[in-house]
Amino acid sequence: MRLPRSRGARIALVVVVVLVALAAAILAYLQTLRQPTGVASLAALKVAQPSERPAERGAGIQRAGFTQAGLQDGPGIAVNPNPHRMGDARAGREVFRFETFGNEGFWTDALRWLRGVRQARVTPLEVLAAGMLIDVERVEPALLAALTAEAKTDLSPGRAPLLNDTKTLLRLIAMNSLVGVPAKDSNRDGRIDLANGDKAGVSCAICHTVGDGSVLRVNNRGSIGRVTDGPAALVFDMGQFLAWGANTKAYYPNAQISYLGISLGRAPTGLTSYSSEADFDRYFTNKAWYPVGTFDETQDGIGNPVVNQPLFRQDLAAPWSSSAEFRFLDNISNGSYTQNLDPTILVTKDGRAFAREVAGPLGMMMTQGYARALRKTGVTGFPFVRAAVGGTIGTDETQVRRRVDNRKLFDMSAYISALPAPRGANVDPAAFARGREVFRAKCTACHNVDQSKPVPPLIVSLKQLWPAYRPIVMMPRVGKLGPVQNSPGTYDDKLVIADATKRGDPKGIPMPLLLDLARKPRFLHDASVRGLDSLLDPRRGAKQPHPFYVADATRRADAVAFLKGLDTTTR
């Protein structure tokens, strides 16, 4: 076919082609709306349901209002209507730290993280600078003694050769001492040898563990020392971790993707399946687009990394995800293992059906682009995660008709429910007491003073929480799902597709745990506010997200002291 010569005619031709492609996608989507998406029941899959769980409709979650009735200690909700099933906490520790359910296949063979580490000659000092942790309890004594000695030097290659050597990093990974990157005996020869067929995956610990830096801390980020499970990894650079992979394009659904020239996220333009590996690395390593301490946990092609959340005292929390997408703890854990830590499930028949159900033509275009990216980079053998097949697509229990071992999910729920919350910061007692009264007067329509009580199970709608929220509906969705819609700004990007509307609950944000706040450098789920003082300062603007301010600077400082000092002993 001969292309038209004039620039205007060529532009018109491109527009026609794009419209035809979009129309075809929409037509295909409409033709699928009446097709059943579930082929097996949860009973057939043998997914245990806690007998005390209430009915799913409405989820027992009350919508938040902002009627502050003078001084009060909370919204008056004493019972958490979202009980979760718990198993053996001691076994759950191993699940939290080392379980991958087979995702080492994705991280080693698809994203090719180990290959990228070797090619880039990544050293222990570099992973520490990216906020990663080395657990001294897993390091062989002779190597630990040598690293401890090097930590007392200027860390130069001449005086700290082990800390500047990629081979040392690979040894540490093989010892399972690099937190959140468990090595597996994939070839089952009774030993771990990463150079000869064994692999490394990713566990929950990577984003939810902190270190004491007792041996070494680098740039106030990563450390060598003892580790504590549960607190959020707020200095971990997940973007850099991903970019070290030799095939970062394998994480395509969790990047900012361009749909027919349109993309949502912090970057000015989106990526496509034709973008280069350098383009993907550039996106993930740009701190303005992918901030330190955040993780893009939704496979929607939208650039929406959110602040890492704590995983201690999860008996006090619910619902889960910053979009309140999951009502029960084991279900969000299952979603993390079956999708987030191995997104290749999305190019299977069931994964495509799920993407189509929640995102319509956008989901279809995303999975088509992802399949092309995997094909172009030679990724085969997916999905990698070992999970039972069955259930109904789109349900919390089996969003993509996959469910990993329930016993392990319940064991981990018990472990992260039992993990203690950190003590509050050591603040001036008088300021803390004054700040408590400010908090009681201004914040307790939604939040409790007593942090040993369950978090009020409220979902605050975006319309209530963000006065400037003016969404444009991009497409309707079937059933209870609210429309796919977006407002200018980044605050709602996490909720464009993933939300709680399938339960009849609002598109909105759940209440957070108000614990370990003194460590947090950024606030709100999109990391858009730096520091507690800024969060409460009216100079941020009346139309900004969470516009609940303390105008007087002295009273605001007292409120900040109170919030930093909060722990589960606060009454």
Side-chain angles (χ1 to χ4, degrees):
M1 181 181 71
R2 178 176 297 177
L3 294 176
R5 293 184 177 181
S6 72
R7 182 172 180 272
R10 288 198 301 271
I11 292 174
L13 178 60
V14 170
V15 170
V16 169
V17 170
V18 168
L19 291 175
V20 169
L22 181 59
I26 293 174
L27 179 61
Y29 170 60
L30 294 174
Q31 289 173 340
T32 65
L33 291 182
R34 294 184 180 181
Q35 295 178 3
T37 54
V39 299
S41 67
L42 289 178
L45 185 57
K46 299 181 181 178
V47 175
Q49 295 275 15
S51 59
E52 68 272 19
R53 283 183 176 175
E56 186 72 10
R57 177 67 177 90
I61 297 168
Q62 304 176 43
R63 301 187 181 206
F66 299 117
T67 303
Q68 182 74 36
L71 292 175
Q72 59 189 67
D73 292 323
I77 303 171
V79 178
N80 184 352
N82 303 282
H84 51 264
R85 179 84 169 261
M86 294 194 286
D88 182 350
R90 288 174 297 181
R93 178 179 183 268
E94 296 303 299
V95 178
F96 176 85
R97 290 188 172 190
F98 305 114
E99 185 57 72
T100 63
F101 295 105
N103 74 41
E104 62 271 13
F106 172 77
W107 293 95
T108 301
D109 297 333
L111 192 127
R112 300 164 189 157
W113 192 79
L114 289 173
R115 182 191 301 181
V117 164
R118 291 189 184 97
Q119 291 174 346
R121 298 181 180 180
V122 180
T123 69
L125 285 179
E126 288 177 291
V127 298
L128 295 175
M132 301 192 74
L133 307 173
I134 295 171
D135 181 2
V136 295
E137 294 184 357
R138 305 286 306 190
V139 182
E140 294 173 357
L143 178 58
L144 177 59
L147 294 177
T148 301
E150 290 189 2
K152 298 175 182 178
T153 71
D154 61 5
L155 304 182
S156 63
R159 302 191 66 186
L162 291 172
L163 287 169
N164 287 278
D165 191 346
T166 303
K167 293 179 181 178
T168 307
L169 176 60
L170 295 172
R171 286 179 63 192
L172 291 166
I173 295 171
M175 295 173 193
N176 274 310
S177 65
L178 185 63
V179 173
V181 187
K184 299 294 180 178
D185 181 15
S186 303
N187 59 15
R188 300 182 181 180
D189 64 356
R191 63 194 183 96
I192 294 178
D193 184 350
L194 298 176
N196 290 288
D198 290 331
K199 302 176 182 180
V202 169
S203 72
C204 291
I206 198 167
C207 288
H208 308 285
T209 303
V210 296
D212 67 2
S214 53
V215 173
L216 175 66
R217 187 176 298 280
V218 175
N219 298 337
N220 292 319
R221 290 203 178 171
S223 67
I224 303 175
R226 291 180 175 84
V227 298
T228 299
D229 296 339
L234 299 174
V235 294
F236 172 43
D237 189 347
M238 173 55 89
Q240 178 61 75
F241 177 83
L242 293 167
W244 275 325
N247 185 31
T248 312
K249 190 180 289 190
Y251 220 54
Y252 180 95
N254 294 65
Q256 182 176 327
I257 301 304
S258 176
Y259 296 101
L260 301 177
I262 299 173
S263 69
L264 299 179
R266 306 170 197 235
T269 58
L271 300 161
T272 74
S273 60
Y274 299 100
S275 298
S276 67
E277 177 68 12
D279 291 333
F280 274 80
D281 290 347
R282 192 175 301 111
Y283 168 75
F284 283 113
T285 56
N286 187 304
K287 304 304 182 281
W289 304 340
Y290 207 111
V292 170
T294 69
F295 187 20
D296 190 334
E297 60 188 3
T298 38
Q299 296 73 51
D300 53 13
I302 299 172
N304 49 18
V306 295
V307 174
N308 291 333
Q309 296 299 305
L311 282 185
F312 50 70
R313 290 304 305 270
Q314 290 301 287
D315 59 313
L316 300 178
W320 284 273
S321 173
S322 50
S323 61
E325 183 179 6
F326 292 92
R327 185 181 176 195
F328 298 118
L329 182 55
D330 52 278
N331 289 339
I332 188 173
S333 298
N334 183 68
S336 294
Y337 284 117
T338 57
Q339 299 173 67
N340 200 22
L341 298 180
D342 177 13
T344 60
I345 185 67
L346 292 178
V347 296
T348 67
K349 178 181 178 182
D350 294 328
R352 290 174 187 263
F354 172 65
R356 183 179 66 232
E357 179 176 296
V358 298
L362 295 177
M364 295 170 68
M365 285 188 283
M366 192 268 288
T367 55
Q368 289 167 2
Y370 188 27
R372 186 164 49 247
L374 293 176
R375 189 167 57 249
K376 287 169 65 70
T377 55
V379 176
T380 60
F382 51 81
F384 301 96
V385 164
R386 299 183 299 272
V389 180
T392 302
I393 285 173
T395 61
D396 280 7
E397 292 83 1
T398 55
Q399 284 189 334
V400 289
R401 295 190 67 244
R402 299 295 188 277
R403 184 85 177 182
V404 298
D405 188 324
N406 268 314
R407 178 180 57 81
K408 292 185 177 182
L409 291 177
F410 299 148
D411 288 347
M412 189 170 73
S413 292
Y415 180 61
I416 60 181
S417 293
L419 287 174
R423 293 297 304 270
N426 186 18
V427 299
D428 176 59
F432 182 86
R434 293 192 302 268
R436 182 180 184 275
E437 297 310 298
V438 176
F439 186 85
R440 291 184 68 217
K442 288 186 168 289
C443 307
T444 46
C446 295
H447 301 285
N448 287 326
V449 171
D450 185 348
Q451 296 302 306
S452 69
K453 292 182 177 180
V455 172
L458 308 173
I459 299 176
V460 188
S461 73
L462 283 172
K463 291 181 180 179
Q464 293 174 297
L465 195 54
W466 185 16
Y469 184 55
R470 297 292 184 271
I472 298 173
V473 174
M474 302 168 67
M475 55 164 280
R477 294 191 286 189
V478 298
K480 298 176 184 177
L481 286 166
V484 173
Q485 58 189 41
N486 179 64
S487 184
T490 64
Y491 189 70
D492 69 326
D493 285 354
K494 173 62 188 286
L495 293 92
V496 171
I497 292 173
D499 60 30
T501 59
K502 61 186 173 185
R503 295 191 303 264
D505 289 308
K507 184 185 284 284
I509 309 295
M511 295 291 107
L513 286 168
L514 297 185
L515 296 166
D516 201 22
L517 298 184
R519 278 198 320 114
K520 290 189 70 171
R522 293 171 178 262
F523 287 83
L524 303 183
H525 68 270
D526 65 340
S528 58
V529 178
R530 291 182 179 271
L532 277 170
D533 186 76
S534 295
L535 181 68
L536 302 178
D537 191 337
R539 286 177 294 184
R540 261 203 316 124
K543 297 293 185 179
Q544 293 300 308
H546 195 278
F548 309 113
Y549 300 127
V550 180
D552 181 79
T554 300
R555 297 183 73 220
R556 186 166 64 249
D558 290 340
V560 168
F562 173 73
L563 290 168
K564 287 184 175 181
L566 279 174
D567 58 33
T568 51
T569 68
T570 303
R571 299 291 185 269

